[in-house]
Amino acid sequence: PEWRGRNYPVNNVSKQGVYRFLQQLNDAENTTVYGLPTEAEWEYAARAGSSGIRYFFGDAPDELGTYAWHGANNRTPHEVGLLKPNPWGLYDIYGGAVEWVEDRYDASYYQRSPSVDPLNKWNGEYQARFAVLRGNGHDANMCRSASRYTAGDYGRIYKEFTGRDLEILEEMYGGLRIIMRSIPRTQP
């Protein structure tokens, strides 16, 4: 597709494909520091020091179009960096491409998780429908810093937004935001 290029977000890659890429990147640099963010890391970066509000800039979605591709303006991928970044300099943290994070979905996990660096690891076989996605912006609510959904949820939302089915049972496709940790973490 014409939107793939140097200045565009990586999109349409399976989570297993992301892990293969990260392994190759780490092998090429003889390290283990590159990975996907956890849900907690992703949200911390999205909030950029804010707390208790829907977006890093406040609760009203009126300014969202200044920072995020969402709703009607999010029908095709856009070059990264055309809109304003968040206060920490991260572009397109809301809206645009849906992004994989490390965690496995569990609706009650955060009620019993550690308060520092929670990660709901995969126990057993990977199942795409339970993978967690962050970002994107079919509507203003999906752009909230705390918005999270499974690949299964996203398939339903995608159909509501586009009228087209999205196969999510075995291979779901999304985008990625790579982080570099100062302390390496093993891949799930």
Side-chain angles (χ1 to χ4, degrees):
E2 75 274 2
W3 64 79
R4 290 188 183 164
R6 183 180 183 142
N7 297 323
Y8 288 82
V10 172
N11 201 5
N12 296 323
V13 62
S14 71
K15 193 162 186 184
Q16 300 305 324
V18 169
Y19 284 132
R20 284 190 297 275
F21 170 75
L22 290 170
Q23 185 64 54
Q24 290 172 351
L25 179 60
N26 281 311
D27 289 349
E29 296 197 13
N30 196 30
T31 187
T32 58
V33 297
Y34 298 108
L36 289 175
T38 66
E39 273 201 271
E41 289 167 332
W42 190 97
E43 187 169 329
Y44 182 76
R47 289 188 179 281
S50 67
S51 65
I53 54 178
R54 294 170 58 92
Y55 314 101
F56 62 79
F57 54 81
D59 285 321
D62 301 348
E63 291 181 58
L64 195 54
T66 305
Y67 302 98
W69 300 109
H70 71 289
N73 75 356
N74 192 32
R75 301 251 185 230
T76 61
H78 300 276
E79 286 187 68
V80 173
L82 296 178
L83 300 176
K84 289 174 117 178
N86 77 3
W88 290 358
L90 296 173
Y91 288 90
D92 304 325
I93 195 78
Y94 302 141
V98 62
E99 299 175 12
W100 293 114
V101 294
E102 276 194 30
D103 302 70
R104 179 185 192 283
Y105 183 79
D106 178 340
S108 63
Y109 176 71
Y110 291 108
Q111 296 168 2
R112 63 182 189 282
S113 71
S115 59
V116 176
D117 296 332
L119 169 62
N120 192 15
K121 291 186 177 191
W122 291 89
N123 296 321
E125 184 180 332
Y126 170 81
Q127 295 176 313
R129 68 181 167 272
F130 295 116
V132 179
L133 298 157
R134 300 299 292 258
N136 201 276
H138 291 309
D139 62 36
N141 191 51
M142 290 177 71
C143 288
R144 294 176 305 113
S145 298
S147 182
R148 64 194 286 257
Y149 35 91
T150 67
D153 294 333
Y154 186 73
R156 178 186 47 77
I157 294 164
Y158 182 87
K159 184 170 184 170
E160 288 172 8
F161 185 68
T162 65
R164 298 187 309 248
D165 284 321
L166 182 66
E167 179 60 46
I168 56 91
L169 296 179
E170 296 305 322
E171 282 297 318
M172 170 72 187
Y173 297 94
L176 69 149
R177 186 175 298 264
I178 297 173
I179 64 169
M180 185 174 152
R181 293 186 170 84
S182 58
I183 300 171
R185 174 179 279 160
T186 58
Q187 296 289 340

